[in-house]
Structures are given as C-alpha cells and as structure tokens.
Amino acid sequence: MIPKLRFPGFSGEWGERKLGEVGVCEDNKRIPLNESERKQRKGAYPYWGSTKIMDYVDDYIFDGEYVLLSEDGGYFYDYKDKPIAFYVNGKFWANNHIHVLKINKENSAKFIYYTLAHKNILAYIIGGTRTKLNQKDMLKIKIHLPPTLAEQQKIAEFLSSIDEKIELNEKKLSKLKEYKRGLLQKMFV
C-alpha cells in the first residue's frame, strides 16, 4: 500500500501490522477508583476513563508516552466525529474502561494515536447494549505504517501542528462568544 498523499523524500511501501506488534498492553497496571475515592484523592494527575479525563488525583500509575484506546463505553459507532483513542505524554492514572498501550521504540506513539483516533474498529467490537473492545481483539487491530520511523514522526508532527491551530481557533471562538454574551447582557438588560 502506498498512500496518495505523501511528504517529499519518503518512499517505499507501507506495511500492515497488528497493534500487538507495535506495542505492549499495560492493562494489568490499571486501578479503578470510584467517585468518592477520587474526591478523597484530589490532585494534579489526570484520571482517564473510557472517553476522557474524568478527574484529577494525587498519584499516578503511568509515566511516559502512551496511546489509550476505549475498552467499553467508547464512541465506536461515532468514530468519525468522536475519538476512540487518545495520546498521553506524562503522568496519569487509568481506570479499567480504557486500554493502555506502550508503543515500542520502532514506532511513533503519536502516529499510532492518529491512526486509531477515528478508525472504524467495529469488526473487533463485541456486545450489544454496552459495546466492548476486549484486549485480545484490540491487539489484533490492523493498522498501516510507513516503512520508517522518520516518516511516522513527520506525519505526526504535521497533524499535531494542525491540532494546535484548531485548539487556538477554538479558544478564540470561545472568547468571541463570551464577548458577545457580555455585549448582549449590557445592551438588553
């Protein structure tokens, strides 16, 4: 497979790999905390649930660069609009509703995140009412990778710069909306 759009200077076939070949699942380290436990342990470290940071606690289990992938309760059917994977770099705590992947040194964790964030993985999902991606099936998910780490990093850097611009524009939009609300309150009180 060779993508239609590619950065200059890179060549060669992209390959297909399973997630279990590009990283190690560290789910065995996860420890769930209920709401009252989290309230007692308020702190600075993100506490990750299936689809977002749910809280901040006083300790961490993981430290480093990771890809988190929803286990249950994820947006598997809404994957086009809502992410099912998340990139984390630093200290955090994870509960038992999100898979924790430590990507090996031959691959870029951020590239793997971008590959998974909006990927259709419905073929790997089980369950009816509450969908679930079990660990065994997660490790079988197939992804396409460029032949070199350098190309993975280049793609991830490019996509990250776009994300930064989006975030900046979202902050500007939020401030403009707040400004408008203030004007409306002063005008129509």
Side-chain angles (χ1 to χ4, degrees), residues 67-123:
V67 174
L68 307 180
L69 186 59
S70 297
E71 179 175 348
D72 54 35
Y75 301 119
F76 302 120
Y77 288 98
D78 296 326
Y79 67 91
K80 290 180 182 177
D81 300 316
K82 298 176 181 178
I84 61 166
F86 309 91
Y87 171 79
V88 180
N89 190 5
K91 297 173 178 160
F92 66 98
W93 192 293
N95 72 16
N96 57 323
H97 297 286
I98 194 157
H99 293 294
V100 180
L101 293 167
K102 182 72 173 171
I103 305 302
N104 62 34
K105 301 287 184 204
E106 293 81 37
N107 294 286
S108 162
K110 201 167 248 192
F111 177 86
I112 303 298
Y113 150 72
Y114 281 118
T115 300
L116 293 170
H118 295 283
K119 183 174 181 63
N120 180 353
I121 61 166
L122 291 172

Side-chain angles (χ1 to χ4, degrees), residues 42 51 96 101 143 154 163 177 188:
K42 282 289 181 194
T51 60
N96 57 323
L101 293 167
I143 57 173
K154 180 80 171 176
D163 280 345
K177 286 181 179 180
F188 301 110

Side-chain angles (χ1 to χ4, degrees), residues 3-90:
K4 293 177 185 173
L5 180 63
R6 204 152 182 195
F7 286 101
F10 294 104
S11 61
E13 290 277 334
W14 282 40
E16 186 177 79
R17 305 278 301 276
K18 293 178 183 174
L19 274 185
E21 297 173 317
V22 299
V24 176
C25 184
E26 295 189 0
D27 286 359
N28 61 321
K29 296 179 182 178
R30 303 173 303 178
I31 302 172
L33 297 173
N34 65 37
E35 191 174 355
S36 64
E37 290 172 317
R38 293 193 312 266
K39 282 182 180 176
Q40 293 170 4
R41 302 188 63 164
K42 282 289 181 194
Y45 302 106
Y47 176 84
W48 276 90
S50 178
T51 60
K52 64 183 178 182
I53 295 172
M54 297 178 63
D55 220 330
Y56 289 85
V57 293
D58 64 353
D59 203 359
Y60 59 91
I61 303 171
F62 302 96
D63 184 9
E65 204 174 17
Y66 288 86
V67 174
L68 307 180
L69 186 59
S70 297
E71 179 175 348
D72 54 35
Y75 301 119
F76 302 120
Y77 288 98
D78 296 326
Y79 67 91
K80 290 180 182 177
D81 300 316
K82 298 176 181 178
I84 61 166
F86 309 91
Y87 171 79
V88 180
N89 190 5

Side-chain angles (χ1 to χ4, degrees), residues 131-169:
T131 55
K132 182 176 177 80
L133 173 64
N134 67 43
Q135 187 182 120
K136 185 181 88 178
D137 291 333
M138 178 208 48
L139 294 173
K140 293 177 185 175
I141 293 174
K142 295 176 184 176
I143 57 173
H144 290 97
L145 297 166
T148 65
L149 175 60
E151 189 171 3
Q152 287 182 31
Q153 291 168 329
K154 180 80 171 176
I155 293 167
E157 287 169 17
F158 176 73
L159 294 172
S160 291
S161 70
I162 293 173
D163 280 345
E164 288 169 13
K165 289 177 184 172
I166 290 169
E167 187 178 334
L168 182 63
N169 282 316

